[in-house]
Amino acid sequence: MRTLLRRPRRALFALIGSAALALGGAVALPGTAQAANILSNPGFESGLSPWSCTGNLGSVVSSPVHGGSKALAGAASSSDDAQCSQTVSVQPNTTYSLSGWVRGSYVFLGVDGGASTWTTSPSAYSQLSVSFTTGASQTSATIYVHGWYAQGTYYADDISLDGPGGGGGGSDTQAPTAPTGLTSTGKTSSSVSLQWNASTDNVGVTAYDIYRGSSQVLSVSGTSATVSGLSPSTGYTFTVKARDAAGNTSAASNSVSVTTDAGSGGGTGFKQAAPYLYEGWGDPPNPGTVMSATGIKWFTMAFVLDSGGCTPAWDGSRPLTGGADQTAINQIRAAGGDIVPSFGGWSGSKLGANCSSASALAGALQKVIDAYSLKAIDMDIENSDEFENEAVQAKILTALKTVKANNPGLRTIVTFGTSTTGPTYYGNRLIEQAQSLGTNVDVFTIMPFDFGGGSDMYGNTVNAAEGLKAKLKSTFGWDDETAYAHMGISGMNGLSDQQENTTPAIWTQIRDWANSHHIARLAYWAVNRDRPCAGGGVVSNCSGIDQSNWQFTSITAGFTG
């Protein structure tokens, strides 16, 4: 019997093996001129601006932070160290002191063309400090922080550059000219590529800020950018502003309006009420009976695992076709419904962990897609073998990208645990990797239960969902509406493993919240337990509370998004 326990566990971020690094030595010089911090937005409390990050790999996160409520996250990849930089006005022949708090494997802090320092502190913030002296005619300096190739996401916060600001001939109040010739050079269902002519400035342009409507969504150093995380068949208007080292900002460029392609991805238009049904556990009910009694149309079928050699099978043991699971699927489809298979879960031998590569995993997923002509798949990413393993996370996301490209119209869902305030470290990492890899996940579904305490299941669920929304917005540059349209909630009916009690009244509140915010997906674990047994405890075939048969499924069927 599969345990009900499905909560993710926290673990320290393992130190990745060191790489051979060619580093310039840090230079410590005496006589630093003390002054206020001359960096703008040093703690990232107001977003990224005026910091500019290579590859659009920088984002602002709410956890983990060193001070305040925000920090920088740089999603270093195998081809980009996710350098984020800011250029400031300085005085010639002057010594400056640079410091900052960083977290991650091989994180560097320094100044372009000068001194730098680095640390390997993956699981906690540590302070880096270095000094440098400007040249005889130097009036600007570019401060940077970056990770190292293929070492995963780093974090930085509270960066300080102490010394006198530009003055005595170094001050600048002249804004750059507005960029011209803004045009769209390409589009997909979820992205728009832009290009423009360079601006001019008396001391030089350091960044271009891209706006979608009135919201800044990107900051780049060149004259082209791709805005991702957009919804299909949707009109957007973009402008660009230039910025110099002193923070002067130009007027806006000409505007360009683009409607994204219809495509098959995106987040809007996909609404799914699909409680979990498990044929290998908990006295599985006849799905046709449940559908007739409740009006539910979709079920999430659990779980597809590895039967050995990266070969998919129901629960790792029941045949992919021709067994009890196919019988249930046939019944569901005969009654006008459909299914989304869930790959993974808390325990068992999982394809994501055991397939040797992303291409091998994509091949295993394709076998299931082909067997049932699927419209959607769910990757339930849990435990230390998948959720808390960043390499496996990347393998799963890359495989999802492959099968989505090979199966037009296929919807992809990832499901993972959460805290009461939103995604944990590994949940944030999963979202960041999805953005970095261009996976174009349709729905990020959180499991708001087994929080480790707390009786307010409605409040905790809403707070967790709002935390997910904030993370999606900061990572993809989405507005509220788009973020909600990429979100799902998968709860647990009745008593959870930690005796949290989600009653029918509370689940109705959660359903109504989900409808009012137009999220994409509502599910719960599991239909097998959607039967009364007041005082029965946490068991596989009933909820442990007083309810009517299939009451949670009936409530879920009222989800319309």
Side-chain angles (χ1 to χ4, degrees):
M1 178 187 296
R2 177 183 296 269
T3 176
L4 292 178
L5 183 65
R6 302 175 68 204
R7 101 182 151 267
R9 297 171 180 165
R10 290 180 176 269
L12 290 178
F13 183 36
L15 178 64
I16 299 174
S18 61
L21 306 176
L23 304 175
V27 180
L29 298 175
T32 300
Q34 296 299 317
N37 185 3
I38 62 173
L39 292 176
S40 298
N41 193 21
F44 305 94
E45 298 298 316
S46 57
L48 273 180
S49 182
W51 297 88
S52 178
C53 301
T54 59
N56 300 328
L57 296 177
S59 63
V60 174
V61 297
S62 57
S63 178
V65 301
H66 171 260
S69 61
K70 304 293 182 183
L72 168 70
S77 67
S78 59
S79 59
D80 196 315
D81 61 8
Q83 176 170 300
C84 296
S85 61
Q86 177 182 155
T87 303
V88 295
S89 296
V90 294
Q91 293 185 12
N93 291 321
T94 303
T95 299
Y96 290 81
S97 177
L98 173 65
S99 67
W101 291 86
V102 300
R103 169 176 171 169
S105 294
Y106 300 102
V107 189
F108 294 72
L109 180 71
V111 57
D112 270 1
S116 67
T117 185
W118 59 280
T119 186
T120 60
S121 179
S123 59
Y125 274 101
S126 61
Q127 188 175 30
L128 294 176
S129 298
V130 68
S131 297
F132 64 92
T133 300
T134 55
S137 59
Q138 184 175 352
T139 57
S140 68
T142 299
I143 304 304
Y144 65 79
V145 59
H146 66 73
W148 196 249
Y149 301 98
Q151 298 299 302
T153 296
Y154 71 87
Y155 299 91
D157 201 1
D158 301 325
I159 300 175
S160 176
L161 181 63
D162 288 333
S171 61
D172 174 34
T173 59
Q174 180 177 324
T177 60
T180 60
L182 177 64
T183 185
S184 171
T185 57
K187 61 178 180 173
T188 68
S189 62
S190 60
S191 67
V192 171
S193 296
L194 302 169
Q195 184 173 308
W196 57 91
N197 298 323
S199 298
T200 59
D201 186 69
N202 61 317
V203 296
V205 173
T206 58
Y208 292 92
D209 299 328
I210 296 90
Y211 289 80
R212 186 182 68 208
S214 60
S215 300
Q216 182 185 335
V217 292
L218 283 178
S219 182
V220 298
S221 56
T223 55
S224 64
T226 297
V227 181
S228 60
L230 305 177
S231 297
S233 303
T234 302
Y236 295 93
T237 300
F238 300 95
T239 54
V240 178
K241 297 179 181 180
R243 180 162 38 86
D244 65 16
N248 300 308
T249 302
S250 75
S253 68
N254 60 292
S255 63
V256 60
S257 296
V258 183
T259 298
T260 52
D261 293 337
S264 60
T268 58
F270 179 53
K271 306 296 179 182
Q272 186 186 78
Y276 281 81
L277 177 65
Y278 191 12
E279 287 299 308
W281 166 93
D283 188 17
N286 182 296
T289 300
V290 177
M291 294 173 73
S292 177
T294 65
I296 200 72
K297 293 297 184 182
W298 281 80
F299 292 91
T300 304
M301 297 288 290
F303 285 99
V304 180
L305 297 174
D306 180 23
S307 62
C310 192
T311 302
W314 292 105
D315 224 23
S317 59
R318 300 190 302 279
L320 185 59
T321 58
D325 300 271
Q326 179 158 34
T327 297
I329 292 169
N330 291 345
Q331 291 172 337
I332 293 165
R333 287 179 167 173
D338 211 340
I339 66 104
V340 50
S342 185
F343 296 78
W346 176 257
S347 60
S349 182
K350 303 169 193 175
L351 291 164
N354 291 304
C355 291
S356 60
S357 65
S359 60
L361 175 58
L365 301 181
Q366 191 66 50
K367 290 179 181 178
V368 186
I369 294 167
D370 292 341
Y372 292 106
S373 300
L374 296 173
K375 299 174 183 176
I377 59 174
D378 170 49
M379 302 299 294
D380 190 329
I381 306 173
E382 301 190 49
N383 218 322
S384 57
D385 55 349
E386 288 191 331
F387 187 59
E388 296 174 5
N389 185 318
E390 296 184 39
V392 173
Q393 282 191 8
K395 186 198 306 183
I396 292 170
L397 292 168
T398 303
L400 284 178
K401 182 178 181 180
T402 299
V403 297
K404 188 157 188 174
N406 293 337
N407 299 271
L410 182 74
R411 305 291 187 159
T412 53
I413 304 159
V414 294
T415 300
F416 51 99
T418 183
S419 74
T420 56
T421 57
T424 63
Y425 168 83
Y426 287 102
N428 286 328
R429 187 70 185 99
L430 180 71
I431 294 167
E432 292 157 7
Q433 292 209 90
Q435 189 276 338
S436 178
L437 293 168
T439 305
N440 194 20
V441 171
D442 289 290
V443 186
F444 294 90
T445 300
I446 52 170
M447 297 184 289
F449 55 88
D450 284 350
F451 289 123
S455 59
D456 183 7
M457 292 306 289
Y458 171 73
N460 287 341
T461 297
V462 169
N463 288 339
E466 289 291 352
L468 172 62
K469 181 203 73 173
K471 178 61 180 177
L472 295 178
K473 288 180 63 179
S474 66
T475 302
F476 292 99
W478 292 335
D479 57 19
D480 283 3
E481 181 181 2
T482 305
Y484 284 129
H486 282 75
M487 285 171 48
I489 291 173
S490 181
M492 182 179 281
N493 59 311
L495 296 180
S496 74
D497 304 275
Q498 298 182 12
Q499 302 296 307
E500 301 155 333
N501 188 1
T502 300
T503 65
I506 291 172
W507 188 240
T508 300
Q509 283 184 290
I510 292 170
R511 190 235 14 227
D512 291 346
W513 182 92
N515 278 336
S516 67
H517 290 78
H518 309 299
I519 73 170
R521 173 176 164 84
L522 187 66
Y524 76 89
W525 179 263
V527 176
N528 306 63
R529 302 179 67 243
D530 195 12
R531 294 174 276 213
C533 59
V538 182
V539 291
S540 63
N541 62 355
C542 59
S543 64
I545 65 172
D546 185 25
Q547 62 160 96
S548 59
N549 282 336
W550 324 128
Q551 188 171 2
F552 283 88
T553 306
S554 295
I555 295 166
T556 306
F559 171 73
T560 60

